[in-house]
Amino acid sequence: MAYSIKAGDVNPPLDMFLTDQDGKAIDLTGCTVRVTIASKPNVPPIVSGEATILDPKAGKIRYIWSQGETDRPGIYLVEAIIRDENGDETTVPASSYGMISIHPRLQKPFPLF
C-alpha cells in the first residue's frame, strides 16, 4: 500500500483494503479498526486513531485526517490494528508496513480570511 498527500492537506482521506497474508480480504464485520502512522517502529506515532469501516466484507476502511496530522513532510509507516468482537487484535500488514509519503508544498497555503 502506497499513499501520498501534500503537507497540511486533510484530503483525500486514507482508504485501505485490509487483507491477510494470502491477499484475501479480511472480514471486518463486528470489528473496530485503529490506524497507526509513525516515522519508524517504536517511536510516538503522528496518528493513532479510529478508522471508519466502509465495506466490512471487502475489508475496506477509511481514516479521515485531522488538521495538523499531515504537517510534517516525510516517509511514514502505517499499520491497522483490528479488534474483533472478542477483543482479540490482529495487525495488518502482518510482516511489513504500508507506506505514506507526505510531500512538502511548493509554497505556503493561502492565508485564511
Side-chain angles (χ1 to χ4, degrees):
M1 186 217 92
Y3 173 89
S4 295
I5 192 167
K6 289 285 186 165
D9 287 357
V10 293
N11 284 304
L14 174 60
D15 288 351
M16 298 169 59
F17 285 93
L18 304 183
T19 58
D20 64 19
Q21 292 182 353
D22 295 325
K24 296 177 186 167
I26 297 173
D27 186 347
L28 301 174
T29 303
C31 297
T32 59
V33 180
R34 175 168 291 280
V35 172
T36 302
I37 301 169
S39 60
K40 59 184 178 180
N42 302 314
V43 300
I46 64 165
V47 168
S48 182
E50 192 163 331
T52 301
I53 298 172
L54 298 178
D55 185 343
K57 296 288 186 194
K60 186 175 184 181
I61 65 166
R62 172 173 285 167
Y63 179 76
I64 298 176
W65 299 101
S66 294
Q67 205 64 35
E69 290 180 330
T70 62
D71 285 351
R72 292 182 298 176
I75 305 295
Y76 295 90
L77 307 175
V78 61
E79 62 186 15
I81 298 104
I82 303 165
R83 180 174 285 164
D84 67 19
E85 296 168 321
N86 299 320
D88 295 329
E89 293 185 348
T90 302
T91 303
V92 176
S95 61
S96 61
Y97 301 97
M99 301 292 289
I100 293 179
S101 299
I102 300 177
H103 300 282
R105 291 175 179 252
L106 295 178
Q107 63 183 30
K108 292 182 181 180
F110 293 113
L112 298 176
F113 299 101

